[in-house]
């Protein structure tokens, strides 16, 4: 989220500010608690639905520090968070709708701030491109926490999975919904393609190839003096 360039002087909000961000969904080792971890700084720090920023570099200052990169980050617009989720590095994330409060710095496209309340969670895409409907073990994590990833109904297979409602409950009662960003068009099944429509297309290609072959043949004949 480093593209939140051009910052303005530090401010303090009197009312919570709305924002959107990506986070990795996490499940505690004993499966009793859900949380989130950051996508850039503080990947090893797991936070809950309500938390205060701490310095990711363990410096003794209140976060966000003016000369430090620490603190919570969010975008002003949900579309910016969805755009970031297209990057391969962030494919396994979910989007959080957050309320930012306390000390904060305002950037052109977002905020860096001290206090965060997660309001809602939206599951992103499954790796296959369909809207995700479950959370499964991503095969990675940090001490005490397994990282989860959003998965669709077709890819979940026999993997143990959490439903959005179960995850929301373990995260302290958060609403969790499926991603509503634009879908890829479904791929037509091959045998559903009208062969009648394919034939003229193929014939045109064959005709073009044949014309080229004839041309090559004619040139060869001219060069070799045969024919
Ligand atoms: Zn710091
Ligand atoms: Zn899938």
């Amino acid at each position: 989220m480093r593209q939140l360039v051009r910052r303005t002087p530090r401010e303090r909000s009197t009312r919570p500010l709305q924002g959107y961000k990506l986070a990795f969904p996490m499940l505690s080792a004993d499966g009793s608690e859900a949380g989130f971890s950051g996508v850039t700084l503080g990947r090893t720090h797991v936070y809950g639905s309500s938390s205060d920023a701490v310095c990711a570099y363990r410096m003794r200052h209140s976060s966000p520090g003016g000369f430090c990169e620490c603190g919570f980050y969010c975008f002003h617009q949900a579309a910016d968070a969805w755009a970031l989720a297209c990057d391969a590095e962030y494919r396994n994330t979910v989007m959080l709708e957050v309320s930012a409060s306390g000390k904060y710095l305002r950037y052109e496209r977002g905020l860096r701030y001290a206090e965060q309340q997660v309001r809602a969670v939206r599951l992103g895409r499954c790796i296959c491109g369909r809207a995700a409907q479950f959370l499964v073990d991503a095969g990675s994590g940090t001490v005490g926490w397994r990282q989860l990833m959003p998965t669709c109904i077709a890819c979940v297979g026999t993997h143990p999975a959490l439903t959005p409602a179960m995850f929301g409950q373990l995260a302290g009662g958060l609403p969790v919904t499926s991603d509503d960003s634009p879908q890829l068009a479904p791929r037509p099944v091959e045998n559903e393609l009208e062969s009648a429509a394919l034939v003229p297309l193929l014939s045109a290609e064959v005709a073009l190839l044949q014309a080229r072959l004839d041309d090559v043949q004619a040139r060869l004949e001219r060069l070799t003096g045969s024919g």
Side-chain angles (χ1 to χ4, degrees):
M1 301 218 184
R2 297 266 162 81
Q3 63 264 64
L4 306 176
V5 287
R6 212 185 297 166
R7 84 179 187 213
T8 57
R10 193 183 304 196
E11 300 168 67
R12 178 171 274 278
S13 78
T14 50
R15 60 182 176 79
L17 301 161
Q18 184 85 359
Y20 305 88
K21 67 188 293 176
L22 299 182
F24 291 109
M26 308 293 285
L27 182 68
S28 64
D30 64 1
S32 67
E33 213 183 325
F36 309 94
S37 78
V39 295
T40 50
L41 278 175
R43 277 194 181 209
T44 56
H45 176 69
V46 178
Y47 56 84
S49 57
S50 177
S51 58
D52 296 339
V54 287
C55 180
Y57 301 104
R58 300 174 198 270
M59 307 267 274
R60 287 187 187 169
H61 60 198
S62 63
S63 186
F67 298 97
C68 188
E69 294 177 305
C70 65
F72 287 121
Y73 286 78
C74 73
F75 287 110
H76 299 309
Q77 305 292 333
D80 280 329
W82 284 138
L84 189 65
C86 297
D87 187 309
E89 207 181 327
Y90 309 116
R91 283 282 169 112
N92 289 344
T93 56
V94 292
M95 186 171 79
L96 309 182
E97 292 179 30
V98 297
S99 289
S101 53
K103 196 170 66 178
Y104 73 93
L105 292 108
R106 184 183 290 275
Y107 296 76
E108 194 177 343
R109 291 164 69 188
L111 302 169
R112 180 153 68 96
Y113 52 99
E115 295 159 31
Q116 175 173 278
Q117 184 76 45
V118 180
R119 297 286 175 204
V121 183
R122 294 198 227 167
L123 301 189
R125 305 270 102 186
C126 174
I127 205 90
C128 74
R130 294 184 187 91
Q133 288 160 288
F134 296 96
L135 288 158
V136 294
D137 196 322
S140 54
T142 184
V143 178
W145 295 88
R146 294 167 204 277
Q147 190 182 310
L148 304 178
M149 65 179 200
T151 305
C152 78
I153 196 161
C155 295
V156 71
T158 56
H159 293 277
L162 280 181
T163 62
M166 285 157 78
F167 181 82
Q169 206 172 355
L170 294 173
L174 290 176
V176 184
T177 53
S178 265
D179 171 8
D180 55 5
S181 66
Q183 298 248 10
L184 295 174
R187 182 177 60 87
V189 179
E190 261 165 56
N191 58 17
E192 282 176 7
L193 280 175
E194 297 227 343
S195 51
L198 273 179
V199 171
L201 196 74
L202 286 173
S203 311
E205 284 197 347
V206 169
L208 195 68
L209 278 175
Q210 192 59 53
R212 280 187 191 153
L213 274 176
D214 290 347
D215 185 45
V216 170
Q217 187 70 35
R219 281 194 218 178
L220 265 176
E221 285 168 0
R222 272 202 301 278
L223 281 171
T224 58
S226 64

